[in-house]
Amino acid sequence: MSHATPAPAANFIRNLIDEHRAAGKWDGRVETRFPPEPNGYLHLGHAKSIFLNFGLARDYGGACHLRFDDTNPEKESQEYVDAIKESVKWLGFDWGPHLYFASDYFDTMYACAEYLIQAGLAYVDSLSADEMREYRGTLTEPGRDSPYRNRSVEENLDLFRRMKAGEFPDGAHVLRARIDMASPNLNLRDPAIYRIKHATHHNTGDKWCIYPMYTYAHPIEDAIEHITHSICTLEFEDQRPFYDWLLDKLAIGGFFSRPLPQQIEFARLNLTYVVLSKRKLIQLVEEKHVAGWDDPRMPTLVGARRRGYTPEGFRRFTDQIGVSKSDGWIDYSVFEACQRDALNDTALRRIAVLDPVKLIIDNYPEGQTEDCFAPNHPQQPELGKRAVPFSRELWIEREDFEETPPKGYFRLYPGNSVRLRYGYVVTCTGFERDADGTLTAVHCEYLPDTKSGTPGADAVKVKGNIHWVSAAHAYEAEVRLYDRLFRTAQPGQETGNFLDDLNADSVKVIRAQLEPALKDAAPEQSFQFERHGYFVADRVDSKPGAPVFNRTVTLKDSWTKAEKQA
Ligand code: ATP
Ligand code: MG
């Protein structure tokens, strides 16, 4: 890990691990795994799980496995595998030699299934899916035994082998664990463990036409890899008895030794103003509501990276929200604040005029240029200062001039003086508008003895302080002003369709006037554009010497304010 990490806060999982270690369980070993299914790109929710699992392994001197849980052939692909690896690395984690694919264990899973049949703990059922649902019962009514439940071991084995050999169509039979159709826990009412699926798998090709169910495969994957703490989200809590039942039986069968892995559930991340379901993310991409998986508005990790969010910002966020047993919502502004804080520490300061209008200094000699000096980071003087060229014609922000100033407005208006940050004090002398009334230029005169950093510069007191770039030296570039992709906290909550809540103004593409130093920005380099926010040189569209910029986050949280007013 590259982050300088403060001591992690205690949480119920760390407490449990401390107890296990004190008792000598697993000889004190801590081995975790992050097990994505390669059926989509990772999202902000996955980051919570990544920091948790890899963080535990790091802090306890253990290992965290990256395991692709690729037991379902239909929606998985190599593209997703590659993107997932890249995102985990980007967040700063390394799985070392521990890269695994669940599909590499299909032979063992199959052998375990034959063992269960032989031990009378599994049977082939031939009910239709509808019938099976009917036999399962409900939360208040017990289930009923399938008429096939008492098939002999020989018949079960024969049918299962013929399922594997491809003799039956999809859905003709399933292999079920034989537990208890009257269990109050529906997950123990003879859960399906293998189904027939004639589909090509991204890793095993056409070798298999039966595939293990997730709830059967996952405990076996953990046991094969000698995982100690198998951490998953709360909705798997009711699956834990099956997890334990299965591994106990397979330990008796000699497949695995004790102590077996232990499943521990924690609350998933629910974040406002985004959607964190792969199905919805795929829909956003396929229906072209966004430009792709890495669109900077997407709550994917590839999108977050392009947006300019940083691994350090994710670290702060996951630290701050902690790990608990109860579900809740985290406001998106909490995530943004963590990203803003992380960027504040590292991003160099630069000047950018996003909505440019000319400021002409009528008493400054034409053709003359001089340097002003601006600090690269006001809180870190050791980062030095850079020269910013000053000349007769500058670009300033359109909103830094008002013909008739509202109350409390201290910037440019006829007769008023302001400081051009790092430069001179100027007094507004006039302005020009075109036939439509649009402001085209502001005129002023400068006070030669007021240059910042020179003796007596502060003798003239002004209330306003505005930024600028020299028109002759500016670098004009595309800047994308990104905002939240959804305009409501829980997209789709009211209408049932999350797409109804897309924010129509989630991106605005402008041409901005930037200080010349920004021309050399490297892709993925982040800056604070003074008074505006944090921006990053886009890693995809920037060309050498011609970067384009994405707004990562504004300096202040405008959404929370707007919500309070609403
Ligand atoms: P989906 O339900 O949208 O398909 P998933 O949770 O099934 O997503 P996986 O690829 O199976 O996606 O997830 C890999 C790991 O990431 C799992 O261990 C899961 O618990 C964890 N994870 C997924 N979403 C979240 C979330 N919102 N918060 C915390 N952990 C999550
Ligand atoms: Mg899943």
Side-chain angles (χ1 to χ4, degrees), residues 114-371:
E114 284 212 352
Y115 164 75
L116 292 174
I117 292 172
Q118 260 147 352
L121 298 169
Y123 62 98
V124 173
D125 199 354
S126 311
L127 291 177
S128 70
D130 284 343
E131 287 167 327
M132 228 178 277
R133 206 168 301 124
E134 200 183 305
Y135 275 75
R136 189 179 300 126
T138 64
L139 282 173
T140 50
E141 273 172 53
R144 282 177 293 138
D145 287 1
S146 161
Y148 304 102
R149 197 173 195 261
N150 291 316
R151 276 173 166 154
S152 68
V153 167
E154 291 67 36
E155 191 185 356
N156 280 320
L157 212 47
D158 174 63
L159 281 170
F160 188 49
R161 286 177 180 167
R162 287 165 59 199
M163 281 167 65
K164 178 179 179 243
E167 287 189 28
F168 307 113
D170 288 8
H173 307 284
V174 293
L175 184 70
R176 299 178 72 174
R178 198 165 185 278
I179 310 178
D180 178 6
M181 287 306 292
S183 171
N185 183 341
L186 274 88
N187 299 297
L188 292 181
R189 292 183 188 172
D190 294 6
I193 61 180
Y194 260 95
R195 65 201 148 148
I196 302 170
K197 198 165 255 195
H198 291 270
T200 305
H201 187 279
H202 79 106
N203 188 21
T204 57
D206 291 322
K207 179 177 173 194
W208 297 90
C209 63
I210 55 172
Y211 289 94
M213 304 297 286
Y214 178 84
T215 47
Y216 170 79
H218 203 85
I220 296 177
E221 295 158 22
D222 286 343
I224 291 173
E225 294 176 18
H226 305 290
I227 296 300
T228 56
H229 302 83
S230 174
I231 299 167
C232 62
T233 44
L234 283 179
E235 65 274 20
F236 290 97
E237 197 163 15
D238 292 344
Q239 290 287 355
R240 181 160 22 98
F242 178 67
Y243 185 104
D244 291 340
W245 178 92
L246 179 65
L247 291 188
D248 180 59
K249 301 302 180 209
L250 295 175
I252 293 168
F255 285 91
F256 307 117
S257 55
R258 300 176 199 270
L260 296 161
Q262 177 171 342
Q263 177 179 306
I264 302 167
E265 308 87 19
F266 74 106
R268 66 168 46 237
L269 171 64
N270 295 312
L271 196 58
T272 60
Y273 291 96
V274 297
V275 292
L276 296 181
S277 128
K278 282 181 196 159
R279 184 182 58 75
K280 290 178 182 166
L281 296 176
I282 288 174
Q283 203 179 338
L284 285 170
V285 172
E286 285 184 349
E287 294 178 7
K288 300 199 185 331
H289 301 288
V290 293
W293 285 102
D294 69 348
D295 186 303
R297 295 165 295 177
M298 281 287 273
T300 51
L301 294 181
V302 285
R305 180 173 181 178
R306 251 189 105 176
R307 177 71 169 260
Y309 295 137
T310 63
E312 170 60 14
F314 274 97
R315 187 194 65 73
R316 291 177 192 223
F317 176 64
T318 52
D319 259 20
Q320 181 165 337
I321 61 176
V323 176
S324 85
K325 266 272 184 205
S326 54
D327 264 322
W329 285 82
I330 304 290
D331 199 89
Y332 197 72
S333 60
V334 174
F335 175 72
E336 285 180 318
C338 291
Q339 294 292 348
R340 194 182 284 124
D341 287 351
L343 286 165
N344 181 40
D345 286 352
T346 53
L348 297 180
R349 274 46 175 173
R350 292 290 182 265
I351 302 165
V353 177
L354 301 185
D355 186 9
V357 69
K358 277 274 175 70
L359 178 71
I360 301 165
I361 309 167
D362 291 303
N363 63 340
Y364 193 87
E366 233 162 307
Q368 182 172 315
T369 300
E370 66 183 290
D371 283 336

Side-chain angles (χ1 to χ4, degrees), residues 76-143:
E76 299 167 356
S77 80
Q78 190 61 38
E79 176 198 349
Y80 296 136
V81 170
D82 296 339
I84 289 169
K85 281 183 181 168
E86 199 183 326
S87 287
V88 174
K89 276 194 212 151
W90 175 67
L91 285 178
F93 296 103
D94 184 359
W95 50 87
H98 300 290
L99 175 66
Y100 304 108
F101 289 83
S103 54
D104 287 340
Y105 310 142
F106 281 166
D107 285 318
T108 306
M109 291 174 190
Y110 179 82
C112 289
E114 284 212 352
Y115 164 75
L116 292 174
I117 292 172
Q118 260 147 352
L121 298 169
Y123 62 98
V124 173
D125 199 354
S126 311
L127 291 177
S128 70
D130 284 343
E131 287 167 327
M132 228 178 277
R133 206 168 301 124
E134 200 183 305
Y135 275 75
R136 189 179 300 126
T138 64
L139 282 173
T140 50
E141 273 172 53

Side-chain angles (χ1 to χ4, degrees), residues 356-362 392-396 398 401-403 412-414 428-444:
V357 69
K358 277 274 175 70
L359 178 71
I360 301 165
I361 309 167
D362 291 303
R392 187 172 190 266
E393 293 196 6
L394 311 177
W395 293 110
I396 61 166
R398 189 167 292 276
F401 172 83
E402 289 282 353
E403 182 177 351
L412 284 171
Y413 55 86
C428 180
T429 53
F431 58 92
E432 294 170 34
R433 292 192 190 275
D434 66 13
D436 301 329
T438 306
L439 185 73
T440 52
V442 177
H443 287 268
C444 68

Side-chain angles (χ1 to χ4, degrees), residues 388-395 468-475 514 516:
V388 182
F390 183 88
S391 66
R392 187 172 190 266
E393 293 196 6
L394 311 177
W395 293 110
W468 50 273
V469 296
S470 165
H473 304 86
Y475 165 51
L514 312 178

